């Protein structure tokens, strides 16, 4: 059994590699739901859907999220009414949110709905939301946040917005002062999360944003403790290569929140929970600084530009996890 902690696009790539090197049924993926949002009355779980669509081989290859070959008639129709269209929901993707929302309203848990959606797409690994309880990532922007509100949003005061408002509406191009996970303190891990971590041969922390993708999972009470307990068998993959995020704002967020935007900064964050950090060859010169943080540093080609490279990175991760120094 392998347990993996996952955000969206970067995680999905590594998971695509993992299913090529171990039987998919032997993998449990614990997915971030801090990005979840309600739009048009629909419950949207972006990271769960990105992982589902990617493992099903139907993700849009250009964006890394949403469905391939998608059409946008509903968004175009919504534009006519002046409805909210900054968060693009494709026509077929909408069906996922309609179904999820209806099932949740009927009283089904997010765990149950996630399993129904994943099995209808023939996804092999078990996908678990980190929690069935609502945990929402909220981002404090410096000053007015820049996003369309002009001076009325108040230049002198920080402004807290929901994650997708920061990430998509403001294209994560605004300075961040703080991040918090609303609801985390009273959330419980979803059924199976702690058991998966406890029983896994290797726990993999996927190359997702340490602050806003892995951070919410660790904020659910009991999860970080369970991983710390498995530190010797936990392998993290750096989402930062040569000081830059492969996708998204991880490098800027690290800097803005006082961390080093490098594999060394990632090592510092993960040192309490992982014993190994896999970094790209571009960062080979920093391996000794990673090791100075108390982790074993494995240098490997970590930019997954093809399914084959993702599979060989997955193999390296699992081999590292199974090898005692
Ligand atoms: N990301 C965007 O940059 N723009 C969008 O309009 C957008 C829509 C969207 C719809 C469904 C979905 O599952 C994901 C979507 N994403 C979009 C991606 C998402 O905001 C982020 O990738 C994650 O929340 C960060 O991991």
């Amino acid at each position: 059994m392998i347990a993996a902690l996952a955000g969206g696009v970067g995680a999905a790539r590594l998971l695509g590699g993992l299913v090529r090197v171990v039987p998919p049924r032997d993998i449990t993926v614990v997915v971030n739901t801090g990005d979840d949002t309600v739009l048009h009355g629909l419950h949207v779980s972006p990271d769960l859907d990105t992982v589902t669509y990617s493992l099903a081989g139907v993700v849009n290859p250009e964006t890394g999220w949403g469905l391939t070959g998608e059409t946008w008639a509903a968004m175009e129709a919504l534009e006519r009414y002046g409805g909210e269209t900054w968060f693009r929901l494709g026509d077929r993707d909408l069906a996922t949110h309609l179904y999820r929302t209806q099932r949740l309203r009927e009283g089904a848990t997010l765990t149950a709905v996630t399993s129904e959606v994943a099995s209808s797409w023939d996804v092999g690994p078990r996908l678990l939301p980190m929690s069935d309880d609502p945990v929402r990532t909220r981002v404090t922007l410096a000053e007015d946040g820049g996003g369309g509100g002009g001076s009325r949003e108040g230049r002198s005061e920080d402004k807290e917005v929901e994650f997708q408002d920061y990430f998509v509406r403001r294209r994560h191009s605004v300075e961040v002062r703080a991040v918090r996970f609303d609801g985390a303190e009273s959330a419980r891990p979803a059924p199976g999360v702690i058991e998966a971590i406890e029983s896994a041969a290797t726990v993999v922390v996927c190359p997702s944003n340490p602050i806003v993708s892995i951070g919410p999972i660790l904020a659910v009470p009991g999860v970080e403790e369970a991983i710390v307990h498995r530190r010797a068998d936990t392998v993290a993959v750096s989402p930062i290569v040569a000081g830059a995020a492969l996708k998204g704002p991880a490098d800027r967020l690290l800097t803005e929140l006082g961390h080093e935007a490098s594999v060394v900064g990632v090592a510092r964050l993960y040192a309490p929970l992982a014993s190994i950090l896999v970094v790209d060859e571009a960062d080979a010169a920093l391996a000794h600084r990673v090791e100075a943080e108390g982790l074993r540093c494995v240098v490997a080609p970590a930019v997954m530009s093809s399914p084959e490279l993702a599979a060989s990175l997955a193999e390296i991760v699992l081999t590292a996890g199974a090898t005692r120094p």
Side-chain angles (χ1 to χ4, degrees), residues 270-288:
Y270 285 154
L273 35 129
S275 57
I276 300 166
L277 183 68
V278 179
V279 308
D280 187 67
E281 287 167 326
D283 289 308
L286 293 173
H288 69 287

Side-chain angles (χ1 to χ4, degrees), residues 97-130:
H97 316 309
L98 288 167
Y99 179 76
R100 176 185 294 117
T101 306
Q102 170 70 13
R103 293 286 292 123
L104 291 172
R105 257 186 218 142
E106 287 167 3
T109 61
L110 188 57
T111 301
V113 186
T114 298
S115 159
E116 290 164 9
V117 171
S119 70
S120 74
W121 283 105
D122 289 326
V123 167
R126 183 165 63 134
L127 304 191
L128 298 176
M130 64 193 200

Side-chain angles (χ1 to χ4, degrees), residues 178-215:
V179 170
R180 72 181 180 94
F181 309 116
D182 195 24
E185 51 300 323
S186 54
R188 291 150 301 170
V193 167
I194 299 295
E195 295 79 354
I197 295 165
E198 283 174 351
S199 63
T202 302
V203 178
V204 179
V205 181
C206 290
S208 299
N209 188 314
I211 299 189
V212 293
S213 298
I214 302 301

Side-chain angles (χ1 to χ4, degrees), residues 8 35 46-47 49 65 86-89 93 163-164 167-168:
D35 297 13
D47 284 355
D49 291 345
W65 52 266
W86 55 268
F87 195 87
R88 313 281 298 159
L89 298 173
D93 186 36
F163 179 78
Q164 297 299 348
F167 195 88
V168 175

Side-chain angles (χ1 to χ4, degrees), residues 32-283:
N32 170 40
T33 56
D35 297 13
D36 286 18
T37 189
V38 174
L39 279 158
H40 323 294
L42 301 177
H43 184 116
V44 182
S45 294
D47 284 355
L48 279 169
D49 291 345
T50 295
V51 170
T52 302
Y53 296 161
S54 299
L55 289 173
V58 294
V59 79
N60 179 334
E62 271 127 54
T63 55
W65 52 266
L67 286 159
T68 186
E70 188 57 283
T71 55
W72 303 93
M75 283 294 113
E76 282 155 24
L78 196 57
E79 246 155 47
R80 176 187 299 272
Y81 304 124
E84 285 207 277
T85 54
W86 55 268
F87 195 87
R88 313 281 298 159
L89 298 173
D91 296 333
R92 288 199 301 146
D93 186 36
L94 264 172
T96 307
H97 316 309
L98 288 167
Y99 179 76
R100 176 185 294 117
T101 306
Q102 170 70 13
R103 293 286 292 123
L104 291 172
R105 257 186 218 142
E106 287 167 3
T109 61
L110 188 57
T111 301
V113 186
T114 298
S115 159
E116 290 164 9
V117 171
S119 70
S120 74
W121 283 105
D122 289 326
V123 167
R126 183 165 63 134
L127 304 191
L128 298 176
M130 64 193 200
S131 177
D132 283 330
D133 302 316
V135 177
R136 295 293 169 264
T137 300
R138 299 189 61 87
V139 180
T140 302
L141 310 175
E143 298 183 327
D144 78 345
S151 58
R152 277 192 303 156
E153 288 191 357
R155 289 211 159 264
S156 56
E157 278 179 27
D158 290 346
K159 176 184 171 67
E160 193 183 69
V161 298
E162 81 152 80
F163 179 78
Q164 297 299 348
D165 193 320
Y166 157 71
F167 195 88
V168 175
R169 195 156 83 89
R170 294 163 203 262
R171 299 191 181 92
H172 49 73
S173 62
V174 286
E175 195 187 331
V176 170
R177 285 246 195 283
V179 170
R180 72 181 180 94
F181 309 116
D182 195 24
E185 51 300 323
S186 54
R188 291 150 301 170
V193 167
I194 299 295
E195 295 79 354
I197 295 165
E198 283 174 351
S199 63
T202 302
V203 178
V204 179
V205 181
C206 290
S208 299
N209 188 314
I211 299 189
V212 293
S213 298
I214 302 301
I217 305 176
L218 300 176
V220 176
V223 175
E224 183 163 6
E225 293 81 343
I227 298 172
V228 168
H229 201 67
R230 300 300 317 280
R231 184 182 185 277
D233 302 300
T234 300
V235 184
V237 181
S238 175
I240 300 286
V241 171
L246 288 174
K247 195 167 195 304
D251 46 359
R252 266 182 296 121
L253 260 184
L254 284 168
T255 308
E256 287 164 3
L257 297 176
H259 306 284
E260 190 174 316
S262 73
V263 292
V264 180
V266 175
R268 249 170 233 150
L269 285 169
Y270 285 154
L273 35 129
S275 57
I276 300 166
L277 183 68
V278 179
V279 308
D280 187 67
E281 287 167 326
D283 289 308

